[in-house]
Amino acid sequence: MNFEFSDEQQLLREQARGFLTEYCPASVVRAVLDGDQDWDAALWQKVADMGWTATVIPEAYGGLGLSYYELAIIAEEMGRSAAPLPFSSSVYLASEAIQRFGTEAQKSAWLPRLASGECVATVAMAEGAGRLALGRLETCRSGSQLSGTKVPVADASIAEVAVVLARSEAGLEACLVPLQQAGISMEPVITLDTSRGHSVITFDGAQAEVLGHAALDPVDWESLLDGAAVLLAWEQLGLAETALTQARDYALQRFAFGRAIGSYQAIKHKLANMYVKNTLARSNAYYGVWALAEGSDELPLAAATARVAAIQASTYAAEENIQTHGGMGFTWEFDCHFYLRRAKLLSLAIGSEAMWQDRLVSALAAHSAAA
Amino acid sequence: MNFEFSDEQQLLREQARGFLTEYCPASVVRAVLDGDQDWDAALWQKVADMGWTATVIPEAYGGLGLSYYELAIIAEEMGRSAAPLPFSSSVYLASEAIQRFGTEAQKSAWLPRLASGECVATVAMAEGAGRLALGRLETCRSGSQLSGTKVPVADASIAEVAVVLARSEAGLEACLVPLQQAGISMEPVITLDTSRGHSVITFDGAQAEVLGHAALDPVDWESLLDGAAVLLAWEQLGLAETALTQARDYALQRFAFGRAIGSYQAIKHKLANMYVKNTLARSNAYYGVWALAEGSDELPLAAATARVAAIQASTYAAEENIQTHGGMGFTWEFDCHFYLRRAKLLSLAIGSEAMWQDRLVSALAAHSAAA
Amino acid sequence: MDFNDTPEEARFREEASSWLAKNAPTDDAFRTLSPLEQAKVWQKRKYDAGWACIGWAPEFGGRGASAIEEVIWRQEESQYDLPANFFLIGQGMIGPTLMAWASDEDKARFLPPLASGEEVWCQLFSEPAGGSDLAALRTRAERDGDDWVINGQKIWTSGAHYSDYGVIVVRTDPTVPKHKGLSYFYVDMKAPGVEIKPIKQLTGDSDFNEVYFTDVRVSDSQRLGEVGQGWQVSLTTLMNERAAIGGSFGQMDVSLAVSVAEEVEINGRPALEDAAVRARIANWYVQEAGLKYTGYRSLTALSRGALPGPENSIGKLVGAPKMQAMSSYLMDLLGASGAIADESLAAKAGIIQRAYMGAPGLRIAGGTDEIMANIIAERVLGLPQEPRLDKGIPFNEVPTG
Amino acid sequence: MDFNDTPEEARFREEASSWLAKNAPTDDAFRTLSPLEQAKVWQKRKYDAGWACIGWAPEFGGRGASAIEEVIWRQEESQYDLPANFFLIGQGMIGPTLMAWASDEDKARFLPPLASGEEVWCQLFSEPAGGSDLAALRTRAERDGDDWVINGQKIWTSGAHYSDYGVIVVRTDPTVPKHKGLSYFYVDMKAPGVEIKPIKQLTGDSDFNEVYFTDVRVSDSQRLGEVGQGWQVSLTTLMNERAAIGGSFGQMDVSLAVSVAEEVEINGRPALEDAAVRARIANWYVQEAGLKYTGYRSLTALSRGALPGPENSIGKLVGAPKMQAMSSYLMDLLGASGAIADESLAAKAGIIQRAYMGAPGLRIAGGTDEIMANIIAERVLGLPQEPRLDKGIPFNEVPTG
């Protein structure tokens, strides 16, 4: 039984935490949230210099060829600091899609530049309100031309290329679409977390190439999402841990009626609940990353479990951290709201809690039937 | 605006509470729960003498011709004392079915005897595990013969007659079936609340007559259930109030670490939650009985709302009353478990929480569409 | 039980509604005024006709109406889209405090212009270190001849920047136990040394202010109650806050959830057909209807002469978390689009998201969830208070962390 | 990360499993014995072969195995359906206490027969007035020459009726603060004046007893620790309880929910297709998997030499309410049949209902939900204790209501 990260991996965590504590304090998040930028480009450069964008990209394509364990560790630390970066779009989703589905030429063209961080990529899936139905996409490719509207697309304004989920006569496809071209118009979309940019993209006969040689099996796309779900779960866990730490520190320091508010059972039990949810989320995130890293056929179950647990832990911790802070927590000036915004944003990305609960039970039923 | 019972009705409540405090203390419930009897026959006689079984039966059939407001008041007090009586089966369900659907002859034959309490009746719906589907009943009538199995049937062992939900070529039917006859075998079924008797009834060509002149419109049966849901909600509310009162009294009297446990926020907030749920349940029960008494077309919405609120309040209060009592609450000797048993039993009768949530939303959507 | 007015109530409602029909301003000129100007114009019109602060005695500008008549008036007035919030604190909470504690001259001087909207008042109680522990306030007033000199900081003051006067609780003796060293004054908000800074909330709005007092002089004649009696005076104000709260958490009701669930699809079917969605909607409706009919029951009690009690705390305790849970879930139903704040792109998402970001504040303002639950436990159910470490101890010796 | 044993662990597992394969009794003769007799026979067989209390030192009957070896042994032994609970308290909690506090003679006298199952021990701590406030116990021991005379009542004593010995905490000085007036003894459960009455639980079962002490004499040599040091000694026992608890709330896992939802229909379709059912199952699975993998993480830490800490409290805090919620919901899925307790009529309903009725007890035994949450808040998160009104006050002056 060895259900723990290796010593080397723990060292990576310390290094990542130290790095982000230094270069991504709350003031960095605040600057992007308050300002006109969609990201902190300088921080991205530093993160790329650390090699984080290259973590799981094979060495043949300029990556470090490390495992998902390492990437999960970085994801947690990214979440802990609520870094205003397109890391999830570019690393967990777009790079993964190109690596999994791309032709040799596509991989050679894009992965080295994604690994080095000089290129940012994103994935465009959603087409407006409601649960995404892979079988009913309205964005269509015909020949080399793509038409349709994707909204919201995270990090599109800073991405050079997007992996766009679409349909053609051949069926479901992931298309590789450079975003600086005539057939594309893009407008910013304000979301609840302006420390991450979002856009609506209209494709009007945009030049697009199919990623890979053929249409996508929906199962393969879902498997990509499973991987992203695990990595997002680690990021959400990091957010949840920060929220719990903030709440605990404030509860120790804030006095009411002559004693620390953390000595009142209402606050104690609220924080104990956070701890319980965070612990369940962490243990399920271990399960998820184990399944992802080892290529286990339990991945669909493990990913959904990690995702649901992380959604529940991060939104609870972020919401109740504000309550623990009382009126101060409701001000713009305190940082509590960063974690609420990001926790909810990430919970809405790649399908929300109910969708993953549904997938969890499908995987569980398949698993029981197989056992 | 007059959203309150009348002074006369309040007087009836005081009278009912006084009566049941005297004649149905916890020891009476305990005697039936512990013993071989399925009810307290002497208490039934007293209740009948009070006229409670006659409350809403028209004067023409020997009843008092009072309104559902009066019956709701009695129901709450019945719940408050967890009376070991077939009141819900005989009064809210069977008497109502005969009154609503029966022919003149059937009403004349049965209602006076039900009003006087000399006859107990019940309704047989469930046919085993799962949500009852009116369109898929297996109990069938052919000619005057009924065949099938109903389980569990509350209060069957003490009922003279049952209203049995069945199907024939004509469709859905309520059949009137005397229970003392050759074509019927009945076995006791132990449930979690042995202070109310339950049975499995096997009809093997039992003599049965159709209630009324024709097949039932399912909507009419659902309307009957709406009425029963409102009255059961009042009974559950009474249970919930007793559980809250017990918990509060114990929390005031039990000391830990030098102070009453009711001074700890964990206990205070638990009891506050009970109070909140009970208050929502009470106000929704008002809404329900108003709709029932006034014959409002809001009844389906009001009944489902009252039922869901009452299920939530009564099970929460009963469960958390035990927790408030700690180890003592988990003993047979303390009374706390009576209310847990009864609350859960009533929550499972006539369709459980999820079914009524579903009905609530159907009614709400119909209501919105009409508005 | 019925939902109709008594004959007297119906008569009163008819009188109110016909006056409103004739006098409620709807013209374009009125609409071009700022909200505060609109409120002032409308309030003055009501005042002149005897429809302002109708529960107040005639000498202060009211008509001595009953509590139920006040409710009826509010119901009728709310049929019109007219600004009213500007005067809520002054008329709802401070007016009654002045009636109970001010001198006859001050009542005559201040109540009529408060009723007419010509003077606006704000309330200066909360402090950064106070929070749930309101009486732990630190703003000090020191005696100087016939004056007092105030120094300190107040927070969460609604409307400070457009108020003419404010009521303030300050510490006049830090050497006695917390509740005993307080005094209560009214202050001129334009006086030298009063500085007002808006607070930006996490929603981006600024509904509240910080108010700094630097050597602000008030005359001893501006004191309400005795020196050291400030806590009792402020209870009068706060009791009226509780009466004013409650009920109005309907800005996002279940009908919005139903309409979102009708529009959005899950697996090709309307989300409203999804059992998980239905269970949530049912539970919210149970809460919403429960609060609504609790309100009707209170109203009935009110019309029979009862006073509103602490049980009204459930409105906020249920309503605010419901708003948070419901808006969060509706964002989920919208999927990735749930994150969109721009109402022009996603109309409902914008409304829902405003509710989601506002809900944490609703769970705090006027008493946190925890304080509301304490109120129910202590004042409704009669459970004991927690042990109080600050009881009987001089304020300046109470631990502050 | 991997789920496999290290080579040493694998070797140990192999040794254990092959011994078990040869020696675990499965014959019919064994099965005709009473559960207690079965347990004693099996325990003696393990003892004789060096497989009893393997973590104990060899001189007490163990083999000085590591914590992870103990876990591996439990995993392997649990593959067989053999009774074990009878010795849990004695071997898990009292053995370590004797090792820490008893005289060498007493250790030599009592530990081997405890390990071999020849003598059974029980724990006499809780009292009717105690509950969560364990140290508020009132059973008194008064010195009489070389003896002590015990009078009072203990409660929630598992196995008192088949135990040979018990450990007991009593008050030897009521005039000093609560924790300081206690002493700790072992007692002969067959001694005159010891009276044992089973407690009927609300489930109808009787797993616990009340034990009354009337002038029960124990020798001063049966004291563990100094007079007045009883609380420290009992902490040794309780720490080992915490280590023993945790994890095992799997008696009703999500697979049962899945199978019920596959069998039962809603609107003509399997309930497993219903979105509300799916959301519940998903949430329970999140809890169940979360606890399972938390256990794996603890096991990893254990295998690296760490001690089990207070974070293990989450097993019960999550598991017991989950069992209650899940059993309640599964009863709902069964509809009216959910109320049936008779397993011959409704197999799953019976199991589910036993869980529903048992869950309240699980939420209490070994520390209520509230105590568990306190432990996490205080010992894991480092939040302060509540103010203690009984601190430093003579026990006989502490308010008791």
Side-chain angles (χ1 to χ4, degrees):
Chain A
M1 171 64 61
N2 170 20
F3 202 55
E4 193 46 89
F5 291 102
S6 71
D7 290 346
E8 278 170 5
Q9 288 159 352
Q10 303 283 19
L11 210 65
L12 170 64
R13 173 185 305 287
E14 280 171 43
Q15 185 195 33
R17 192 171 305 178
F19 175 86
L20 288 166
T21 304
E22 182 171 355
Y23 295 109
C24 189
S27 57
V28 165
V29 184
R30 181 173 292 277
V32 179
L33 190 71
D34 270 349
D36 296 333
Q37 299 299 313
D38 280 347
W39 64 328
D40 185 321
L43 179 62
W44 179 257
Q45 187 55 53
K46 290 195 196 83
V47 159
D49 291 346
M50 296 288 287
W52 294 355
T53 45
T55 310
V56 297
I57 294 176
E59 287 172 282
Y61 300 106
L64 298 176
L66 295 171
S67 75
Y68 288 108
Y69 294 121
E70 281 79 12
L71 189 52
I73 286 171
I74 293 167
E76 182 183 349
E77 299 308 317
M78 284 284 189
R80 205 178 282 273
S81 65
L85 295 178
F87 201 72
S88 55
S89 298
S90 198
V91 177
Y92 315 156
L93 285 163
S95 296
E96 285 289 311
I98 293 169
Q99 192 173 322
R100 289 172 184 228
F101 309 133
T103 63
E104 194 50 43
Q106 289 165 333
K107 290 197 274 188
S108 300
W110 292 105
L111 290 179
R113 300 185 58 237
L114 287 163
S116 73
E118 68 180 280
C119 165
V120 169
T122 190
V123 160
M125 288 189 279
E127 299 183 346
R131 196 179 288 184
L132 188 70
L134 292 186
R136 294 148 48 95
L137 294 171
E138 291 181 7
T139 301
C140 287
R141 181 191 60 83
S142 177
S144 65
Q145 299 210 319
L146 187 75
S147 294
T149 301
K150 292 286 183 179
V151 57
V153 186
D155 307 306
S157 63
I158 50 184
E160 183 180 332
V161 65
V163 174
V164 181
L165 208 57
R167 293 198 75 78
S168 74
E169 285 176 356
L172 183 67
E173 289 177 351
C175 294
L176 212 45
V177 188
L179 293 174
Q180 295 297 326
Q181 56 161 299
I184 289 182
S185 61
M186 198 187 297
E187 291 291 331
V189 170
I190 304 298
T191 70
L192 84 167
D193 183 8
T194 55
S195 68
R196 292 280 299 276
H198 286 76
S199 305
V200 49
I201 310 182
T202 309
F203 302 96
D204 185 9
Q207 291 299 310
E209 58 179 288
V210 178
L211 188 62
H213 295 289
L216 263 182
D217 185 340
V219 168
D220 291 330
W221 187 259
E222 289 185 346
S223 183
L224 175 84
L225 293 185
D226 284 340
V230 169
L231 296 165
L232 279 172
W234 281 94
E235 196 164 319
Q236 290 169 298
L237 176 62
L239 286 168
E241 292 287 4
T242 296
L244 171 54
T245 303
Q246 283 191 344
R248 191 192 78 118
D249 291 350
Y250 194 76
L252 285 171
Q253 154 218 324
R254 173 89 182 179
F255 272 54
F257 305 103
R259 53 179 169 123
I261 62 169
S263 70
Y264 290 92
Q265 282 187 336
I267 299 293
K268 286 166 102 148
H269 292 186
K270 188 193 286 295
L271 299 194
N273 285 341
M274 285 190 206
Y275 174 81
V276 167
K277 285 179 198 285
N278 287 7
T279 300
L280 297 177
R282 178 172 298 280
S283 297
N284 283 319
Y286 270 65
Y287 174 37
V289 72
W290 169 83
L292 178 62
E294 308 296 337
S296 164
D297 60 9
E298 285 186 45
L299 179 63
L301 179 58
T305 305
R307 169 86 175 149
V308 172
I311 288 175
Q312 293 175 348
S314 60
T315 49
Y316 180 81
E319 287 174 359
E320 298 305 320
N321 179 35
I322 293 177
Q323 299 311 124
T324 305
H325 280 72
M328 293 305 177
F330 193 59
T331 62
W332 189 267
E333 186 188 353
F334 271 55
D335 303 333
C336 307
H337 61 109
F338 300 175
Y339 308 96
L340 181 68
R341 294 174 190 283
R342 185 64 60 79
K344 192 68 198 174
L345 182 76
L346 297 188
S347 297
L348 294 169
I350 69 159
S352 56
E353 185 183 6
M355 190 195 96
W356 287 95
Q357 286 170 325
D358 190 60
R359 288 176 69 137
L360 189 160
V361 177
S362 297
L364 189 62
H367 205 254
S368 317
Chain B
M1 171 63 61
N2 170 20
F3 202 55
E4 194 45 271
F5 291 102
S6 71
D7 290 347
E8 279 170 3
Q9 288 159 351
Q10 302 283 18
L11 212 65
L12 170 64
R13 174 186 303 284
E14 281 171 40
Q15 184 196 34
R17 191 171 307 179
F19 174 86
L20 287 166
T21 305
E22 183 172 357
Y23 296 108
C24 188
S27 58
V28 165
V29 183
R30 181 174 291 278
V32 179
L33 189 71
D34 269 348
D36 297 333
Q37 299 298 314
D38 280 348
W39 64 328
D40 185 321
L43 178 62
W44 179 258
Q45 187 56 55
K46 291 195 196 85
V47 158
D49 290 347
M50 296 289 286
W52 293 356
T53 46
T55 309
V56 296
I57 293 175
E59 287 172 282
Y61 301 106
L64 297 176
L66 294 170
S67 75
Y68 288 107
Y69 295 121
E70 281 79 12
L71 189 53
I73 286 171
I74 293 167
E76 183 183 348
E77 299 308 317
M78 284 285 188
R80 206 178 281 273
S81 65
L85 295 177
F87 201 72
S88 55
S89 298
S90 198
V91 177
Y92 315 156
L93 284 162
S95 297
E96 284 290 311
I98 293 168
Q99 193 172 320
R100 288 171 185 231
F101 308 131
T103 62
E104 194 51 44
Q106 289 165 333
K107 290 197 274 189
S108 300
W110 292 105
L111 290 179
R113 299 184 58 238
L114 286 162
S116 73
E118 68 181 282
C119 166
V120 169
T122 190
V123 160
M125 287 190 280
E127 299 182 346
R131 195 179 289 184
L132 189 70
L134 293 185
R136 294 147 49 94
L137 294 170
E138 290 181 7
T139 301
C140 287
R141 182 192 59 84
S142 177
S144 66
Q145 299 209 320
L146 187 76
S147 293
T149 301
K150 292 285 184 182
V151 58
V153 186
D155 307 305
S157 63
I158 50 185
E160 184 179 330
V161 64
V163 174
V164 181
L165 207 57
R167 292 199 76 79
S168 75
E169 286 177 354
L172 182 68
E173 289 178 351
C175 294
L176 213 43
V177 188
L179 292 174
Q180 296 296 328
Q181 56 162 302
I184 287 182
S185 61
M186 198 186 298
E187 292 292 331
V189 169
I190 304 299
T191 71
L192 84 168
D193 183 7
T194 55
S195 69
R196 292 282 299 276
H198 287 77
S199 304
V200 49
I201 310 182
T202 308
F203 302 96
D204 185 8
Q207 289 299 309
E209 59 179 286
V210 178
L211 188 61
H213 295 289
L216 263 181
D217 184 338
V219 168
D220 290 331
W221 187 260
E222 290 186 344
S223 183
L224 174 85
L225 292 186
D226 284 339
V230 169
L231 296 164
L232 279 172
W234 282 94
E235 197 164 319
Q236 290 168 298
L237 176 63
L239 286 167
E241 293 286 4
T242 296
L244 172 55
T245 302
Q246 282 190 344
R248 190 192 77 118
D249 291 352
Y250 194 75
L252 285 170
Q253 155 218 321
R254 173 88 182 179
F255 272 53
F257 305 103
R259 54 180 169 122
I261 62 169
S263 70
Y264 290 93
Q265 281 188 335
I267 298 293
K268 286 166 102 148
H269 292 186
K270 189 193 285 295
L271 300 194
N273 285 342
M274 285 190 206
Y275 174 82
V276 167
K277 285 178 197 286
N278 286 8
T279 300
L280 297 178
R282 177 172 298 281
S283 297
N284 283 319
Y286 270 65
Y287 174 37
V289 71
W290 169 82
L292 178 62
E294 308 296 338
S296 164
D297 60 10
E298 286 185 45
L299 179 62
L301 180 58
T305 305
R307 169 86 174 148
V308 172
I311 287 174
Q312 292 175 348
S314 61
T315 49
Y316 180 81
E319 287 174 0
E320 298 305 321
N321 179 36
I322 292 177
Q323 299 311 123
T324 306
H325 280 72
M328 294 304 177
F330 193 59
T331 63
W332 188 268
E333 186 189 354
F334 271 55
D335 303 334
C336 308
H337 62 108
F338 301 176
Y339 308 96
L340 180 67
R341 295 174 189 284
R342 186 63 61 81
K344 192 68 198 173
L345 183 77
L346 296 188
S347 297
L348 295 169
I350 70 159
S352 56
E353 185 185 4
M355 190 195 95
W356 286 94
Q357 286 170 325
D358 190 59
R359 287 176 69 138
L360 189 160
V361 177
S362 297
L364 189 61
H367 206 254
S368 314
Chain C
M1 290 182 196
D2 65 69
F3 293 127
N4 300 323
D5 290 330
T6 64
E8 298 75 36
E9 289 164 2
R11 245 191 319 277
F12 180 80
R13 188 184 297 280
E14 167 54 27
E15 186 189 348
S17 86
S18 57
W19 186 83
L20 280 162
K22 287 198 207 81
N23 293 281
T26 50
D27 50 303
D28 287 349
F30 180 79
R31 290 295 169 208
T32 61
L33 299 174
S34 75
L36 177 60
E37 288 166 335
Q38 288 184 27
K40 288 197 164 199
V41 166
W42 172 231
Q43 189 66 27
K44 186 66 166 57
R45 192 177 300 175
K46 289 191 285 182
Y47 180 80
D48 291 341
W51 286 107
C53 300
I54 60 171
W56 292 12
E59 68 262 37
F60 303 137
R63 56 162 68 193
S66 70
I68 191 76
E69 285 171 340
E70 289 189 271
V71 169
I72 290 170
W73 167 256
R74 273 205 298 276
Q75 289 172 343
E76 293 302 313
E77 188 182 7
S78 70
Q79 311 276 320
Y80 297 83
D81 178 26
L82 293 164
N85 286 345
F86 298 97
F87 309 123
L88 260 183
I89 289 169
Q91 296 175 347
M93 298 167 65
I94 299 171
T97 310
L98 294 172
M99 287 177 214
W101 296 92
S103 67
D104 287 343
E105 299 97 287
D106 278 350
K107 285 191 237 185
R109 157 67 186 87
F110 289 112
L111 287 169
L114 172 52
S116 70
E118 285 159 292
E119 288 175 355
V120 183
W121 288 62
C122 64
Q123 175 211 355
L124 301 145
F125 287 9
S126 292
E127 296 193 4
S132 296
D133 184 5
L134 194 59
L137 56 91
R138 297 176 187 175
T139 296
R140 296 186 58 168
E142 277 157 347
R143 189 88 194 215
D144 183 27
D146 272 354
D147 288 350
W148 294 82
V149 181
I150 300 178
N151 279 287
Q153 183 198 348
K154 295 289 177 177
I155 197 170
W156 311 125
T157 314
S158 305
H161 50 296
Y162 55 76
S163 287
D164 302 287
Y165 295 94
V167 290
I168 187 168
V169 196
V170 293
R171 189 160 303 279
T172 44
D173 186 354
T175 68
V176 298
K178 189 167 71 176
H179 291 92
K180 300 199 169 148
L182 304 176
S183 302
Y184 191 111
F185 296 88
Y186 64 86
V187 297
D188 179 347
M189 292 300 287
K190 317 291 184 204
V194 176
E195 190 192 355
I196 297 162
K197 285 189 189 170
I199 298 170
K200 188 172 175 187
Q201 296 144 222
L202 66 78
T203 55
D205 301 331
S206 290
D207 297 326
F208 307 104
N209 300 279
E210 294 177 292
V211 183
Y212 294 85
F213 289 82
T214 310
D215 293 332
V216 175
R217 298 190 83 84
V218 301
S219 157
D220 188 53
S221 67
Q222 288 171 242
R223 180 165 42 74
L224 302 184
E226 300 302 316
V227 174
Q229 209 180 11
W231 184 246
Q232 287 92 306
V233 183
S234 61
L235 285 183
T236 306
T237 315
L238 294 172
M239 262 171 17
N240 285 284
E241 178 176 32
R242 194 142 300 126
I245 289 181
S248 71
F249 292 91
Q251 53 268 72
M252 208 185 75
D253 69 18
V254 168
S255 62
L256 179 64
V258 171
S259 77
V260 169
E262 279 170 341
E263 287 167 26
V264 162
E265 292 192 351
I266 294 176
N267 302 332
R269 304 289 312 162
L272 192 59
E273 294 179 12
D274 179 278
V277 174
R278 292 170 85 82
R280 300 276 188 137
I281 290 178
N283 291 344
W284 295 320
Y285 187 76
V286 162
Q287 295 184 319
E288 190 168 297
L291 290 185
K292 175 176 165 188
Y293 297 111
T294 301
Y296 286 6
R297 289 169 55 216
S298 299
L299 223 53
T300 302
L302 208 62
S303 78
R304 295 175 181 188
L307 292 173
E311 60 277 6
N312 287 319
S313 306
I314 83 160
K316 202 175 96 81
L317 184 55
V318 172
K322 164 177 166 266
M323 177 167 152
Q324 187 171 36
M326 189 163 124
S327 53
S328 180
Y329 193 76
L330 295 185
M331 287 165 80
D332 285 0
L333 276 187
L334 295 169
S337 284
I340 300 175
D342 186 336
E343 289 185 38
S344 67
L345 268 168
K348 282 175 184 161
I351 296 168
I352 291 164
Q353 202 176 108
R354 240 193 352 260
Y356 183 64
M357 296 310 285
L362 259 188
R363 290 179 58 194
I364 295 164
T368 62
D369 291 355
E370 290 76 20
I371 293 291
M372 291 313 194
N374 277 353
I375 289 172
I376 289 172
E378 293 170 12
R379 306 223 206 129
V380 181
L381 299 177
L383 295 171
Q385 281 202 334
E386 303 235 16
R388 288 282 292 272
L389 297 189
D390 57 349
K391 215 160 193 165
I393 296 177
F395 178 72
N396 55 13
E397 293 172 21
V398 170
T400 56
Chain D
M1 289 184 196
D2 65 68
F3 292 127
N4 300 321
D5 291 330
T6 64
E8 298 75 39
E9 289 164 1
R11 247 189 319 276
F12 180 81
R13 189 184 298 280
E14 168 55 27
E15 185 188 349
S17 86
S18 57
W19 186 84
L20 281 161
K22 288 197 205 81
N23 293 282
T26 51
D27 51 302
D28 287 351
F30 179 80
R31 289 295 171 206
T32 60
L33 299 173
S34 76
L36 178 60
E37 287 165 336
Q38 288 183 29
K40 288 197 166 199
V41 166
W42 171 232
Q43 189 67 27
K44 186 67 166 58
R45 191 176 301 175
K46 288 190 285 180
Y47 180 80
D48 291 340
W51 287 107
C53 299
I54 60 170
W56 292 14
E59 68 262 36
F60 303 138
R63 56 163 66 193
S66 70
I68 191 75
E69 286 171 339
E70 289 190 272
V71 169
I72 291 170
W73 168 257
R74 273 205 298 275
Q75 288 172 345
E76 293 302 313
E77 188 181 7
S78 70
Q79 311 277 319
Y80 297 84
D81 179 25
L82 293 164
N85 286 344
F86 297 99
F87 308 123
L88 260 184
I89 289 169
Q91 296 175 348
M93 298 166 65
I94 299 171
T97 310
L98 293 173
M99 286 177 216
W101 295 94
S103 67
D104 287 343
E105 299 97 287
D106 278 351
K107 285 191 239 186
R109 158 66 186 86
F110 289 112
L111 287 169
L114 172 52
S116 71
E118 285 159 291
E119 288 175 356
V120 182
W121 287 62
C122 64
Q123 174 210 357
L124 300 145
F125 286 9
S126 293
E127 298 194 3
S132 297
D133 185 6
L134 193 59
L137 55 90
R138 297 177 188 176
T139 295
R140 295 187 57 166
E142 277 158 348
R143 188 88 195 219
D144 183 26
D146 273 352
D147 287 350
W148 293 82
V149 181
I150 300 177
N151 279 286
Q153 184 198 346
K154 294 291 176 178
I155 197 169
W156 311 124
T157 313
S158 304
H161 51 296
Y162 55 75
S163 286
D164 301 286
Y165 294 94
V167 289
I168 187 168
V169 195
V170 293
R171 189 161 303 280
T172 44
D173 185 352
T175 68
V176 297
K178 188 167 73 175
H179 291 91
K180 301 201 168 147
L182 304 177
S183 302
Y184 190 111
F185 296 88
Y186 64 85
V187 297
D188 180 347
M189 292 300 288
K190 318 292 184 204
V194 177
E195 190 191 355
I196 296 162
K197 285 190 189 169
I199 299 170
K200 188 173 175 187
Q201 296 144 222
L202 66 78
T203 55
D205 301 329
S206 290
D207 298 324
F208 307 104
N209 300 279
E210 293 177 292
V211 183
Y212 294 86
F213 290 82
T214 311
D215 292 332
V216 176
R217 299 189 83 84
V218 300
S219 157
D220 188 52
S221 66
Q222 290 171 242
R223 179 165 43 73
L224 301 185
E226 300 302 315
V227 174
Q229 209 180 11
W231 184 245
Q232 287 92 305
V233 183
S234 61
L235 285 183
T236 305
T237 315
L238 294 172
M239 261 170 17
N240 284 284
E241 179 176 31
R242 194 141 301 127
I245 288 180
S248 70
F249 292 90
Q251 53 269 75
M252 209 183 76
D253 68 18
V254 168
S255 61
L256 179 65
V258 172
S259 77
V260 169
E262 278 170 340
E263 286 167 26
V264 162
E265 292 192 350
I266 294 175
N267 302 331
R269 302 290 312 162
L272 191 59
E273 295 179 10
D274 179 278
V277 174
R278 293 171 84 81
R280 300 277 188 138
I281 288 178
N283 290 344
W284 294 320
Y285 187 77
V286 162
Q287 295 183 318
E288 192 168 295
L291 289 185
K292 175 175 163 190
Y293 297 111
T294 301
Y296 285 7
R297 289 169 55 216
S298 299
L299 223 53
T300 301
L302 209 60
S303 79
R304 297 176 180 186
L307 292 173
E311 60 277 9
N312 286 319
S313 306
I314 84 160
K316 201 173 98 79
L317 184 55
V318 172
K322 164 178 166 265
M323 177 167 153
Q324 186 170 36
M326 189 164 123
S327 54
S328 180
Y329 193 75
L330 295 185
M331 287 165 81
D332 284 0
L333 277 188
L334 295 170
S337 285
I340 300 175
D342 187 336
E343 288 185 38
S344 67
L345 266 168
K348 283 174 183 160
I351 295 168
I352 291 163
Q353 200 176 110
R354 245 199 345 266
Y356 184 64
M357 297 309 286
L362 260 189
R363 289 180 58 195
I364 296 164
T368 61
D369 291 354
E370 290 77 18
I371 293 290
M372 290 313 194
N374 278 353
I375 289 172
I376 288 173
E378 293 170 13
R379 305 224 207 130
V380 181
L381 299 177
L383 295 172
Q385 282 202 334
E386 303 235 17
R388 288 281 293 272
L389 297 189
D390 57 349
K391 215 159 194 167
I393 295 176
F395 180 71
N396 54 14
E397 292 172 20
V398 171
T400 57

